[in-house]
Amino acid sequence: MSSHAGGAGFGGGHAHVVAASASGAVYFYHVWYLFAACVIIMMMITVATIAQQIFQKTRP
Amino acid sequence: MRFEKCAYNVDVEVPKPSLPAEPRRAYVVALIPAHREEAEIGNTIRSLLAQNRPPNKIVVITNRTEDRVADRTHEIAQSFPGVTAINLVFPIGTTHGKSRALNHGWRHHGQLADIVVCIDADTRLPQNAVEDWVDEFYDNPRLGGSSSKFTMRDERNADQTIVQVQRAEFARWTDTSLRRGWTSVLAGTGCAIRGAALVEAATTSGNDDGPWCYASLVEDFELTYRVRAAGYLCQVSPTVRAYTDAMKTVSALWSQRMKWQSGTVSDLMKLGFNRLTALDWIQQFAGFLQAFVRIGWLLALIVSLALGSFVFHPIWLVCPVYFAVTDWIMAARIPHCTWRDRVNAVALVPQDLFAYMRAGWFIYAWTEVLSGSEKDRWTVQYQSEGV
């Protein structure tokens, strides 16, 4: 299962105020960290899968 | 085997022995439920007749409701000497035609079988299939059922991108099941089930007709659960393939997956959380997470673009390049891999669009089940496939 969410970001990794609502500023960097973590986990799962396939005797 | 306690009910002993002393004496019955399959039924029967070890009996059960015009499926099946052809016509409004057809075939021709092979009428088995399945049951007395490895031939499906993404998906599903050593679905597309396990399942199906129930949209998943609960192991065969067709339009693919997902969610809600359903619940949770990440990512991107805060850094290209390379490596695992599979993997976009579709049917199916909707998903799928 692939997850290809790369190629876009939200103001880099810095604390970055990107918008203001009536009640105050909205910070997107938390969202960025969340998605970055998900992508890194997907990358680790992918490489682990490939590593297992190397030693797998059966073919799909 | 991984997570053995989740594979089958380890607290139950299965009856031994349940097969004749020698594999060549095993009585094998093949059941083929068919709904308007005149184009492929002949090839399916020929693939069974050409087996190294042919089934002792082949039964084709054509089924339709009264309001549907009959096609030539039954006539074609009848034309093969030695093939038992049954034509079932149900009253208008009858649902679960496939389960009813399988139960009818089993009740009249399969109850005494040592091994029952079930295949769809558009599926072809390679010559080793029945022989290898018989050997698997003799090698492992715990084995209740063995599913085939679904393989979509590229040349049978033209060069559509939608077929390529399904080929990649099925290869990954098979790879994962083989690594795990067990499966929670003996897919009706092509599988073999131990006769003794079916006899036991017939007592828990909720009807007097046979092992297949009429309360599930995914009758194969539901039956597999009861077979596992009776103490039997269900696996994906390491050697038996089943050549089948992919969904060729977005509409047909959506309908098929909505049926699978709605049926699975509905059954899981009924079965609850236990050792045997734990993996399926985890997969549902993973599906939620993926849908959340994908849709959340898209929304955040749109908002940041709308607010003018989007800044691009070349370092982010590492991610798509990484996934393109790993997908390209994994594409080599697709059976009968072609250059189109490789290109599809590297291109990323088709697989990304497919992933968004998956998030869509995942959320929609959950919404449908939780809202109590009881749409006849079989009919919807037949309509979208034009049969």
Side-chain angles (χ1 to χ4, degrees), chain B residues 167-244:
Chain B
R167 280 163 58 80
E169 184 198 31
F170 273 61
R172 285 176 195 188
W173 180 84
T174 307
D175 237 348
T176 307
S177 299
L178 286 170
R179 260 202 307 279
R180 194 192 304 129
W182 57 275
T183 180
S184 59
V185 191
L186 293 170
T189 309
C191 70
I193 307 174
R194 189 183 291 269
L198 280 179
V199 169
E200 185 154 357
T203 64
T204 56
S205 65
N207 62 63
D208 297 329
D209 297 343
W212 286 270
C213 84
Y214 305 143
S216 172
L217 277 172
V218 279
E219 75 293 330
D220 45 7
F221 171 75
E222 200 275 346
L223 174 66
T224 308
Y225 175 82
R226 284 184 286 119
V227 169
R228 293 164 62 215
Y232 290 97
L233 167 70
C234 295
Q235 68 177 22
V236 171
S237 169
T239 59
V240 177
R241 290 195 181 287
Y243 291 99
T244 190

Side-chain angles (χ1 to χ4, degrees), chain B residues 42-86:
Chain B
N43 291 326
T44 303
I45 295 171
R46 272 188 283 275
S47 81
L48 279 170
L49 293 171
Q51 291 291 306
N52 297 336
R53 193 270 195 224
N56 299 80
K57 189 172 231 181
I58 299 171
V59 185
V60 179
I61 315 106
T62 313
N63 64 93
R64 66 181 171 90
T65 48
E66 284 170 340
D67 55 333
R68 300 300 303 272
V69 178
D71 67 352
R72 294 184 60 246
T73 309
H74 179 65
E75 194 184 319
I76 294 168
Q78 266 185 323
S79 69
F80 286 88
V83 171
T84 304
I86 300 168

Side-chain angles (χ1 to χ4, degrees), chain B residues 321-333:
Chain B
V321 169
Y322 174 88
F323 283 116
V325 171
T326 52
D327 276 8
W328 186 79
I329 293 169
M330 288 201 279
R333 304 282 293 178

